[in-house]
């Protein structure tokens, strides 16, 4: 039985997130020897959006595909680059006409692997339906692809869980992102589809979802606009490891990754 080993990393938040990836890269390779690495990078540059320089930094660290979410549009100069970067995805359910693409197919040892980026609508912008859009993508473009990984960038846990069950048996994994807090509900739905509500984040441990706690507290107390800054200090790396049967696309194993800087295995 031939298998693909895939690592998915939660939202990489600014300089601290990139530091975490560099710090734990060797441990990641030694522990899992992944064939393919996906990372959500919508917070790469200062915690909001991406730049080409930060994207190349991730590529140099071995990331194969960078998924995103609602913050993909924050850096206007980068938005202009989206049409030219086939390894950077934006959510597929934005309306037709926006830059970039929401899914792609890559080949590992002649085995096609599809990555699809979707965005939720509950407590977020009311864009096109991610459920119907995924049906369209699978019908029109992925009919012959067995290994399919979905990054569902969404706020509501219920919406993420519903998509997991909606796609169960049809995709290899549905991995939630956006909230930056790793959930402990990793499982295989209907003995086929790997699932977790949120993969967590790569960034500062002492932070409010990667940002300075002081800034976040003042924003909550005073309820006025406040610029957030990426927190520093010790970092964490969050994500999941999945093992997929290539002939069927079935997820055989899903394991949470939650490593902290300063533990005895850095």
């Amino acid at each position: 039985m031939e298998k693909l080993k895939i690592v998915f990393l939660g939202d990489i938040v600014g300089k601290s997130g990139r530091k975490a990836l560099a710090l734990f890269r060797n441990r990641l390779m030694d522990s899992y020897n992944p064939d393919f690495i996906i990372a959500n990078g919508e917070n790469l540059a200062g915690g909001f959006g991406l730049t080409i320089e930060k994207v190349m930094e991730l590529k140099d660290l071995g990331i194969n595909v960078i998924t995103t979410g609602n913050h993909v549009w924050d850096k206007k100069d980068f938005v202009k680059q989206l049409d030219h970067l086939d390894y950077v995805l934006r959510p597929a359910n934005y309306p037709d006409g926006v830059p970039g693409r929401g899914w792609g197919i890559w080949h590992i040892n002649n085995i096609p692997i599809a990555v699809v980026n979707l965005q939720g609508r509950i407590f977020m912008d009311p864009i096109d339906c991610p459920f119907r859009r995924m049906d369209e993508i699978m019908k029109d473009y992925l009919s012959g692809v067995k290994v399919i990984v979905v990054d569902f960038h969404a706020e509501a846990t219920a919406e993420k869980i519903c998509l997991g069950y909606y796609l169960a048996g049809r995709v290899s994994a549905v991995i939630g992102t956006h909230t930056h807090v790793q959930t402990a509900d990793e499982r295989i739905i209907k003995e086929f589809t790997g699932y977790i509500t949120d993969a967590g984040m790569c960034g500062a441990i002492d932070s409010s979802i990667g940002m300075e706690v002081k800034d976040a507290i003042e924003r909550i107390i005073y309820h006025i606009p406040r610029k957030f800054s990426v927190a520093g200090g010790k970092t964490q790396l969050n994500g999941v490891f999945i093992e997929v049967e290539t002939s069927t696309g079935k997820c055989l194993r899903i394991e949470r990754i939650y490593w902290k800087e300063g533990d005895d295995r850095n």
Side-chain angles (χ1 to χ4, degrees):
M1 180 171 57
E2 195 168 0
K3 306 173 186 177
L4 267 181
K5 293 178 286 185
I6 302 168
V7 164
F8 184 103
L9 298 175
D11 303 51
I12 299 176
V13 184
K15 184 177 181 179
S16 294
R18 302 193 308 274
K19 172 190 171 186
L21 179 56
L23 176 68
F24 288 107
R25 183 184 180 278
N26 289 342
R27 179 176 170 184
L28 201 64
M29 302 306 290
D30 292 342
S31 298
Y32 299 111
N33 189 28
D35 301 301
F36 200 73
I37 304 177
I38 307 163
N40 188 290
E42 72 151 7
N43 304 117
L44 269 180
F48 301 94
L50 307 89
T51 65
I52 191 65
E53 293 80 11
K54 302 304 185 289
V55 163
M56 294 311 298
E57 190 173 332
L58 258 61
K59 289 292 288 181
D60 290 342
L61 287 168
I63 304 301
N64 297 103
V65 176
I66 300 170
T67 54
T68 61
N70 53 302
H71 286 299
V72 69
W73 316 111
D74 287 1
K75 300 284 192 284
K76 302 307 179 186
D77 288 342
F78 184 78
V79 171
K80 300 173 184 176
Q81 303 291 326
L82 277 173
D83 285 330
H84 311 292
L85 299 172
D86 59 2
Y87 52 86
V88 179
L89 302 180
R90 47 84 175 159
N93 54 313
Y94 273 91
D96 291 342
V98 301
R101 61 177 186 157
W103 62 275
I105 299 173
W106 290 262
H107 290 81
I108 305 297
N109 299 325
N110 294 320
I111 298 166
I113 171 173
V115 181
V116 183
N117 199 172
L118 296 171
Q119 185 172 307
R121 300 193 295 178
I122 299 175
F123 309 126
M124 299 185 76
D125 291 337
I127 57 176
D128 295 345
C129 178
F131 292 72
R132 292 190 177 96
R133 182 61 180 138
M134 187 64 192
D135 284 340
E136 293 169 0
I137 292 170
M138 293 187 69
K139 177 184 176 182
D140 295 341
Y141 306 107
L142 304 183
S143 59
V145 180
K146 300 296 184 182
V147 181
I148 304 172
V149 178
V150 178
D151 175 349
F152 191 30
H153 197 79
E155 183 78 28
T157 55
E159 188 179 20
K160 295 180 186 182
I161 291 168
C162 285
L163 187 73
Y165 278 94
Y166 185 74
L167 296 177
R170 296 195 283 158
V171 304
S172 305
V174 175
I175 300 170
T177 60
H178 180 64
T179 64
H180 294 203
V181 178
Q182 189 180 78
T183 54
D185 62 338
E186 75 281 7
R187 60 190 184 272
I188 298 176
I189 300 177
K190 296 185 178 179
E191 299 183 348
F192 193 97
T193 299
Y195 174 84
I196 189 168
T197 297
D198 203 284
M201 73 165 189
C202 302
I205 296 171
D206 293 323
S207 70
S208 172
I209 60 172
M211 312 306 281
E212 287 285 358
V213 173
K214 181 177 181 291
D215 297 340
I217 290 174
E218 291 185 359
R219 172 73 177 269
I220 291 169
I221 290 174
Y222 300 114
H223 206 67
I224 59 175
R226 173 79 190 223
K227 183 179 180 180
F228 291 137
S229 301
V230 174
K234 290 187 177 181
T235 63
Q236 65 185 27
L237 184 103
N238 292 174
V240 290
F241 168 74
I242 61 173
E243 201 168 50
V244 178
E245 184 179 47
T246 58
S247 61
T248 63
K250 177 181 179 179
C251 181
L252 304 171
R253 174 186 171 196
I254 180 168
E255 177 183 322
R256 270 186 298 137
I257 303 169
Y258 196 124
W259 296 339
K260 295 182 178 181
E261 183 178 350
D263 68 19
D264 60 0
R265 293 189 57 195
N266 287 349

